[in-house]
Structures are given as structure tokens and as C-alpha cells.
């Protein structure tokens, strides 16, 4: 390794990115923490803007003391100059710039500010990907009506803007996120007409020892349940939303019971009047940057070793991008990744004994997440409820009927062929939102799409962006991969 301070670029300032930055900076690494938000914390620690004058932001969070510790640590390193925090920077490409056989080197390209019309290029000796995840969206008739939001979207509105999606809401779908969303909305004064969960609660004991090994999580769920009881929120298990109704905006939803096979039981439909529907079916790891770098990934996220290293030298990954598992797992993975980066850049092996607690937390949290993932799943036959007229790809306005026609009449057998025949996934989100739905409707496997760019980039930026400067200022030439 060369003399001088080693440079680490951490992409994402959520729990994993913050923990990694603090661990690496404390061990002599110069860290640049890059994030698209205007403040650190990620989705989990999202807070209202200061101009809103929130008097008790901690009321919207649990584990607030953990956030305060992270915030103090970040502030100390910022003051000491060991961490540089770049907010409102939207990373669209990370390229390897080291010569073959030489020390790894990387250039991180990011769009600036809300307009994203200028790009900057930053050099680093190592990169840590803490890009989190995003919600899995499954369509149903009426899901595009104003008033229908994702479960995480409803939580983000409340945490970040002190806004509720409506005065009377239904929270529906599957997964542990539904509990805090319903509880938060009820505490904010929303009349939660129902919490509709497709899971049969009798399946939870199948998690066995992995669930029992996390008594804190069980106690947390019990606390949410108690709060829902206090707010008199009806819990409707083994049901799913089959349609949203309204003229110009949401007015009601129809839910129906699910049979043992995951199909809707005819005659069990019931209509619930509401102004908002928060629906979620779990999370998907955000792996675009990892895939563009050539890191090995699968459906569960980026593949990493016990040090959180990917199979690409110089690239680490931590948090939800390696698999959806919650904040505690992200913090443990981030801490271990930061320690590993610091040791490897100095050319020494990390001492696993010095991080034994984080290793234990990671192991338990991973087992707990795997047990939940095996239990919480969308209804097996959700696609049967999607009518041919239902829009699946909102960017290109592709309906379910066109997707099915591509399969049955035109012979498409994979998502890529469906995309070419229908334009589903060719819009602004490049299939990140609609791809799970398209795959489910087409009856084919969803495979990782290796995109060169992690987000849409203006052509002018591609012409100007470069990797010539170590400071956050516009570059002067196109990245090597685009020349």
C-alpha cells in the first residue's frame, strides 16, 4: 500500500453506512460518506425537516438512543476532518480505475442536488456499498389511484414531512413493516380501518429457534400489537386486497380471505371505505451499483464473506443491499465492514476476537431475518387477481393484458423478452418497480438485470462527467466505461 491516508467511499448514510464510516474513520481511514438525502440517517432514521418545527421527532422512532450515538459520532469525525459527508449526491456509477494487478482504485460518479444536471467524480482506494433496499410493489386493480401508497411511503411521509396519506386508512399486505406503519398512523390521529395481513399467524411458530433467539424483536412486536389494540385497529389475518375503488381518488378497498393454497376464497369479499391505502409486500435489496461493478449477487442481495467483502477486490457491502434484515443487522454489518476496510487497507488481517459482539449480533439477526423471510410471503396466486386492464408498468403504461399476450401469443419466456415486446420496464425506473410484477404475471424467474448506470443520467452529464478531480466539482470527460 502507498503512503498517506487511505480513502474509503461509503455510498449510503443509513444505519449500515453510518456504522461503517465511524468504524473505519476511528481506525485511521479518510472516509467520504455519500448520500442522496439532505441529512444522514437513511429511511430508518428519517426525520422531519427542521423548518417543520417538530417538537418530539423521537416519537416517530424506536431505538432513538442508537441514532443519537451515531449522530454524535458522525459530528465528531466531521469536526476532526476524518469524515467528509456529501449530501444530495446521487451516485450513478462506480468504476474501477486501478490497473490490472495493481492496487484497486475507484471513481465514484454522482449527480448533484435536486436538479441533478451536474456530476462530480471522487476517487477512493476502496468502496463500501450501503445502498439499502426498496419496496416490492405488486399491482392490483385500482392500485394507481391517488391515495394508494406503499407501506414504506406512508411511513416516509409521516417521518419526513409530518404528513398522513388520509384521515381513514387501510394498511395491507404482508411483512413485519405493516405493524409499525399501522401503529405510527394510528398514533398520528389516522383512523386505521383495518390492518390486513395475508399471513396466517399460525405459521409464525415455524420460525422456531431463530425467532426465539431474538426476544427483543418479539417484545417489540408485542408492543406494537398492544398499541394497535389501544387504538382499536381491527386485525384481519389471512386476507388480501383484491381491488381499490374510486373516481379520481381512492374511496374504498375490497379485501377477501385467502384459502390454504393462497387463492382468494370466493364469496368472502368485503368492502372497506377509506381515503388511503398503505400496502406493502416486503423489500428488495438495491444492488444496481454492485452489479455494475461485477459483484456476485442473487435474489437475496450482494454476496459477501464474513468480513462483508464482495468478490470484487476493494469493494465491501453492508446492510439491506446484502439482504433485507432490519436496522440491527445493518448496524452490525456496517461496523464489521468498516473494521475490515481499515485493516485491509493497512495490509493486515482483522482480528475477529475484537469484534465478537458484532459477529454474534449479525449471526442472530441473519437467522431471524431468514426465518421471517420464510414465513412472510405475498399470496402465492396474487397474479390471478390482476385484471388485463390493470396497468403494471406505470412509466410506459403497459397493462397486464399486454404482458400476458407477450407470453401466450408471442412466445416470450423471460422478463427481458417481455420488456422488448411490450416496453414494460423501459421507463424512468428501468424496471426497478415493475419487474417483480412483470415476472409474476409472465410466470418466469426474475433475474438480476446488470445495468451500467444505477439511475437515469442526462446526456449532457454523460458528455461532461469525468474522473479527473478528487474534489466534489464537475468532471471534464466521460467515464472510461462509456468511452
Amino acid at each position: 500500500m502507498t503512503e498517506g491516508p487511505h480513502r474509503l467511499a461509503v455510498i449510503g448514510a443509513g444505519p449500515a453506512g453510518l456504522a461503517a464510516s465511524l468504524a473505519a474513520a476511528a481506525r485511521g481511514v479518510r472516509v467520504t460518506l455519500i448520500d442522496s438525502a439532505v441529512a444522514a440517517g437513511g429511511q430508518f432514521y428519517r426525520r422531519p425537516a427542521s423548518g417543520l418545527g417538530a417538537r418530539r421527532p423521537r416519537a416517530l422512532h424506536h431505538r432513538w438512543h442508537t441514532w443519537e450515538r451515531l449522530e454524535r459520532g458522525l459530528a465528531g469525525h466531521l469536526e476532526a476532518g476524518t469524515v467528509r459527508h456529501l449530501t444530495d449526491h446521487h451516485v450513478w456509477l462506480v468504476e474501477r480505475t486501478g490497473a490490472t494487478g495493481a492496487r484497486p482504485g475507484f471513481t465514484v460518479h454522482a449527480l448533484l442536488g435536486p436538479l441533478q444536471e451536474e456530476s462530480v467524480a471522487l476517487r477512493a482506494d476502496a468502496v463500501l456499498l450501503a445502498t439499502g433496499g426498496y419496496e416490492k410493489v405488486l399491482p392490483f386493480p385500482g392500485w394507481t389511484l391517488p391515495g394508494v401508497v406503499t407501506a414504506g411511503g406512508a411511513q416516509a411521509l409521516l417521518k419526513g414531512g409530518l404528513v398522513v396519506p388520509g384521515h381513514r386508512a387501510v394498511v395491507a399486505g404482508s411483512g413485519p413493516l405493516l405493524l409499525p406503519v399501522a401503529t405510527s398512523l394510528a398514533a398520528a390521529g389516522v383512523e386505521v380501518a383495518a390492518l390486513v395481513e395475508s399471513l396466517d399467524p399460525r405459521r409464525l411458530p415455524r420460525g422456531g429457534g431463530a425467532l426465539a433467539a431474538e426476544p427483543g424483536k418479539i417484545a417489540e412486536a408485542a408492543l406494537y400489537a398492544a398499541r394497535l389494540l389501544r387504538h382499536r385497529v381491527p386485525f384481519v389475518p389471512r386476507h388480501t386486497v383484491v381491488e381499490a375503488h374510486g373516481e379520481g381518488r381512492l374511496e374504498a378497498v375490497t379485501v377477501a380471505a385467502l384459502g390454504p393454497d393462497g387463492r382468494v376464497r370466493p364469496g368472502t369479499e368485503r368492502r372497506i371505505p377509506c381515503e388511503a391505502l398503505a400496502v406493502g409486500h416486503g423489500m428488495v435489496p438495491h444492488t444496481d451499483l454492485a452489479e455494475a461493478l461485477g459483484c456476485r449477487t442473487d435474489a437475496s442481495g450482494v454476496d459477501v464473506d464474513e468480513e462483508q467483502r464482495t468478490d470484487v477486490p476493494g469493494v465491501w457491502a453492508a446492510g439491506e443491499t446484502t439482504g433485507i434484515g432490519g436496522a440491527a443487522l445493518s448496524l452490525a454489518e456496517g461496523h464489521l465492514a468498516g473494521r475490515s476496510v481499515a485493516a485491509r487497507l493497512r495490509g493486515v488481517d482483522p482480528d475477529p476476537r475484537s469484534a465478537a459482539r458484532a459477529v454474534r449480533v449479525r449471526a442472530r439477526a441473519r437467522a431471524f431475518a431468514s426465518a421471517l423471510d420464510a414465513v412472510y410471503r405475498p399470496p402465492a396466486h396474487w397474479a390471478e387477481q390482476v385484471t388485463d386492464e390493470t396497468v403494471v408498468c406505470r412509466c410506459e403504461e403497459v397493462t397486464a393484458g399486454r404482458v400476458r399476450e407477450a407470453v401466450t401469443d408471442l412466445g416470450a419466456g423471460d422478463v427481458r423478452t417481455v420488456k422488448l415486446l411490450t416496453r414494460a420496464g423501459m421507463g424512468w425506473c428501468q424496471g426497478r418497480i415493475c419487474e417483480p410484477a412483470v415476472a409474476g404475471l409472465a410466470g418466469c424467474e426474475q433475474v438480476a438485470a446488470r445495468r451500467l448506470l444505477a439511475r437515469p443520467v442526462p446526456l449532457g452529464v454523460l458528455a461532461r462527467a469525468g474522473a479527473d478531480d478528487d474534489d466534489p466539482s464537475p468532471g471534464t470527460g466521460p467515464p472510461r466505461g462509456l468511452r
Side-chain angles (χ1 to χ4, degrees), residues 69-140:
R69 176 177 57 80
L70 293 170
E71 187 178 37
R72 286 194 301 269
L74 178 61
H77 283 292
L78 290 174
E79 184 177 357
T82 50
V83 174
R84 177 172 56 163
H85 184 199
L86 303 181
T87 61
D88 221 350
H89 279 57
H90 310 261
V91 176
W92 55 274
L93 176 68
V94 179
E95 60 174 338
R96 286 183 281 180
T97 53
T100 303
R103 176 171 57 88
F106 301 89
T107 301
V108 179
H109 298 271
L111 297 170
L112 284 176
L115 297 180
Q116 301 181 31
E117 294 179 350
E118 293 289 342
S119 184
V120 297
L122 303 113
R123 300 274 181 86
D125 301 308
V127 172
L128 194 151
L129 304 174
T131 49
Y134 53 94
E135 287 189 89
K136 180 187 292 184
V137 177
L138 300 178
F140 50 88

Side-chain angles (χ1 to χ4, degrees), residues 231-385:
H231 289 286
R232 299 182 180 179
V233 176
F235 177 56
V236 186
R238 301 186 301 279
H239 279 65
T240 190
V241 172
V242 295
E243 188 172 359
H245 313 276
E247 293 294 332
R249 70 161 291 111
L250 181 69
E251 297 172 3
V253 299
T254 294
V255 303
L258 295 169
D261 60 354
R263 285 188 166 91
V264 168
R265 290 166 47 199
T268 63
E269 295 84 356
R270 53 184 283 205
R271 187 174 173 123
I272 305 175
C274 60
E275 299 174 351
L277 169 63
V279 60
H281 290 287
M283 301 281 291
V284 179
H286 200 300
T287 59
D288 286 358
L289 290 173
E291 289 161 3
L293 279 164
C295 302
R296 185 169 55 244
T297 65
D298 56 29
S300 62
V302 182
D303 188 30
V304 294
D305 66 9
E306 288 303 298
E307 293 181 37
Q308 301 296 137
R309 294 180 296 178
T310 72
D311 60 329
V312 174
V315 180
W316 281 253
E320 309 280 42
T321 191
T322 69
I324 306 302
L329 177 56
S330 294
L331 289 167
E333 288 188 350
H335 180 76
L336 292 169
R339 295 174 66 100
S340 173
V341 170
R344 294 296 175 180
L345 288 179
R346 295 196 310 270
V348 300
D349 292 331
D351 180 4
R353 294 171 299 178
S354 63
R357 181 180 180 278
V359 170
R360 290 195 300 271
V361 170
R362 181 180 63 182
R364 289 198 307 268
R366 282 180 175 174
F368 185 84
S370 296
L372 285 186
D373 188 56
V375 172
Y376 283 108
R377 295 191 180 277
H381 301 280
W382 63 267
E384 295 177 2
Q385 302 303 312

